[in-house]
Amino acid sequence: MKRLTRRNLMRGVTASAAMLPFLEAFEARAQADDYPLRLLIVFSPNGTIYDRWRPSGSETDFQLSEILAPLEPFKQKLIVLDEVDNESAHHGPGDGHMTGMGTYLTATELLDGDQFKCGGTDPCSGWGGGISIDQLIANDLQMRQAPAERTRFKSLELAVQAGGADIWSRMSYAGADQPIAPMEDPYQVYDRLFADLNVDSDTLQRRLMMRRSVLDYVGGSLSRLSGRLGGEDRDKLEAHLTAVRDIELQLSAAQSNCSQPDLAQGIDFRANDSFPQVVQVQSDLLVRALACNLTQVATLQWSRSVGGTRMTWANVPEGHHDLSHNGDSDQDSQDKITRVNTWYAEQFAYLLQQLDSVQEGNGTLLDHTIVLWGNELGKGNSHTRRKIPFVMAGGGKGYFPTGRFLSYGGESHTKLLVSLAQAFGVQTDEFGNPAYGTGPLPRLTG
Amino acid sequence: MRSMRWVTLSLLLATGCSGKIDGTLGAPGAGPGDGSGFVIDPETGELVPASELAGDGDDNGPGAGDPSAGDRDGEGGDGDPAADGAVDACETLDVGITPLRRLTREEYDNTVADLLGTAQQPARAFSPDEKLLGFAAGLSVTPLLVDQYMTASEELAAEAVTDMPALLGCDPAALDAAGQESCVHDFIDRFAARAYRRPLETEERDGLRALFATGRDGFDFATGIELVLRGVLQSPQFLYRVELGQQTGTPGLVQLTAHELATRLSYFLWQTMPDADLIAAAEAGELDTPEGIEARARMMVQDARAERAVDGFHAQWLELELLETAGKDPAVYPDFDDALRHSMAQELLRFTREVVFEGDGNLEALLTDSHGYVDQHLASVYGLDAADFGDEQVRTELDPAQRAGVITSPAVMTIHAKSNQSSPVHRGKFVRERLLCQPLSPPPNDLVIVPPDPAPDASTRERFREHSEDPSCAGCHRLTDPIGFGFESYDGIGRFREMDGDFPVDASGEVFASRDADGPFDGAVELATRLAASQEVADCMASQWFVYALGRSMTNTLDACSRQQVIVAFDASGHDIRELMVALTATDAFRYRRMPTDDEGGAP
């Protein structure tokens, strides 16, 4: 078992400096002021220990908490959002974990349904009830961009040990009842992102031509068949067709000049003890994808709602979810949950470090990105979806002034998602179910 | 010390410990859940199964607004459905809405092995199948999966064209252009018909021929064949089990064609595409009657491929995939490693498989037989000497006072436990949900729960006592904990124990709020015997097999006839699992399909 120490972390940071040369070609083409704005949404599960998470002090003069201490180097690039509630998770079917997860990025109640047992005021619940904010922004960007401006991938979804496909493991949705599966296998991510690099142009042309021909045939088959079906059957085939068309667009998108990164071989990406390594590798791949402009919109999901990761490397042998249920006066459990969340903060710091190490003009990739880190719960043992531990970073080219600690006294996270949409130029005051808030989160833009 | 504080007791009573069951639950295209659920009896204030309250039943209850279902009993607690009029529920032909299914990962890999003779198992790298009530049903498609389909088709095609004569049945190098063309056209007809599990339509044939020509003209002959293979393997006709059917007198209700039935039979009973023999039987009209289907299904469950269906069911019914990620604290369970984890899973499936195919074959045996399959890893879990066992799992008679079927198996006990101790709540919940089909609902949305602070110097049982003493907790936890206490003789990795730390184990328990399994018991063996005799458990088993077979849950009203057909047959067979499988194939639900429509929100 490889123990992830701060020293190892720093070694990873140093290694990333090697990324810089391959970016030069890309940078040379880009004008200093037209680096794209990127979105990166991160998730970790099972709530936090609020008193050990909340910073102290005022908006601009604050001290990070025990849990957020690893973010100290990036304090001036952070916005810590205190007392933002996930109001939408308090409505509709599903229990705390289910609603917290399914509404994190949709701000819409879960669907009624019988897919998932033991949820809701009725016996079961269905999938999430609407499009997620990352997908809304990705769609909107694609719609507004000329084909030549589009990134190769409309969005990328990566996860680390998200587990089975269910309401607890999905946070991105193409629409109601359309969960998006994240990529958990770093080797698959690598192939998907970088397989076309370093291939000679004849081979590449042949590959593209073969794929286009087949996808064209498949698209025709899907269209014809969906015309003979109705209701959800047709919806399903149309979703399939959309995915086929997206792949076709990817094939047409300009090939990146990036070189592929090195990737350690033989990682068992499903093994509990590989978790730290996979977290790091997926972060590296994602940062590379953003740096190479393969996408503007990405999500990164650590574990899953109700995830039972055993962080032996943080000296926590118990499963995270079991632990999160223990009572407030159980000091040992409180300490361990703190260590789990602090460990996640270290991983978030690593991610920020990687983003910040990519120079883009006068700023860094981090400066040109809006990073949001959230959770499906506020607190694990009560399963509350209030006081969600939200941290933002990067600020998105100054759109959200950073170096701030903002306290909201129970504002709805729906507004936070509206703020994200507006930051990306989506013309809207509403997102999800507007019953749980409209307009942007006050004061976020300064 | 209060272990749990509800906001108010009246809130609990207002919402119940679970949902009210209104008979119209479920997502569009699916009926109500198969479970009962609980409601507060307005007269007594007691928590009771919804089915005990008249007129508000789930699929177990006389359905509100469903007079035909009301004639069948078997739900109220003591009825025997076999004794009731089978005709009534079947007077009107109908079935629940049946959504389009795609191949599951397991089905995909088996299918490409049969179709191409490949040893590749590309679906192992596909994102996981979504579950319906715990069973992979192949109901949704995601952009990532579509990408994975593309990649898999490319790898399969590249492998297949390495031996062109074997693939095509001719040697293109030995043929002139006309000969090649004719060979390829024959191949397309033959290959795509197998892949689509029915004869090709003209448009499909033309499209594939054009695809071949594109590849050949742009590059070479082999590229043309690769494109055909990729095209077929990415086509919806291959990836989905398309069922357009034949019109019946009822709008929206279609009868499956012979080919579609062969496909349903094959994927249900064999987890793969139909073979040539089954297709020939379908084309000869052997599947045109329920009797014909039943006879064919009975043959098919004798085939070795049926083990896949039986394994697949039990793995998912018993949530075996959770064992893969079940983590144990090495300080508490130093023996628990991947080898033991693997042995546990293997043993459970071997047990269920051999009970079904070699043993008595019935539900009672699954729940009560006291033998295990022991190897060097499992020996210590069973208190046996590891030196007496090797890698091979050996059928071993265990102490019938300690072990009873699947519910006391090391695998199930390990899954439903915490990392460092047993878990009465999880074990009780498991029995409630997976054996009684009674889903438990969560606390109301804004309820603040303050969990108990464990007293460190107490038995597990003692630490959970708070759940039953605090009236606000007891409402829900009496459904789980008293059942779970019956498993206190098994530690967190399923070892039988007489001491829980410093305390003697007390494994007495009680079942509440079941149809016919209520009452106190001492230990899981007695519980297993009780459950094995329960009609509610048998009905639960039947409804879970229904979900597994059809990728949807039974609906209250539309599937009344099919439900009755299955339960009558299952009971009449002495709860024989193979007969249950056969009976499912002869139902209306298996032979017909109600197509989803744009306006299904109002469907019953």
Side-chain angles (χ1 to χ4, degrees), chain A residues 117-118 121 206 233 236 329, chain B residues 19 100 223 319 440 453 593:
Chain A
K117 53 191 178 160
C118 64
T121 51
R206 180 171 187 271
D233 285 358
K236 205 174 293 180
S329 61
Chain B
L100 179 66
T223 304
E319 305 172 305
L440 296 167
D453 293 319
R593 172 169 192 247

Side-chain angles (χ1 to χ4, degrees), chain B residues 393-413:
Chain B
Q393 295 197 330
V394 182
R395 182 185 161 116
T396 306
E397 293 305 322
L398 303 168
D399 184 347
Q402 293 186 5
R403 300 286 170 179
V406 293
I407 68 169
T408 65
S409 67
V412 169
M413 289 294 89

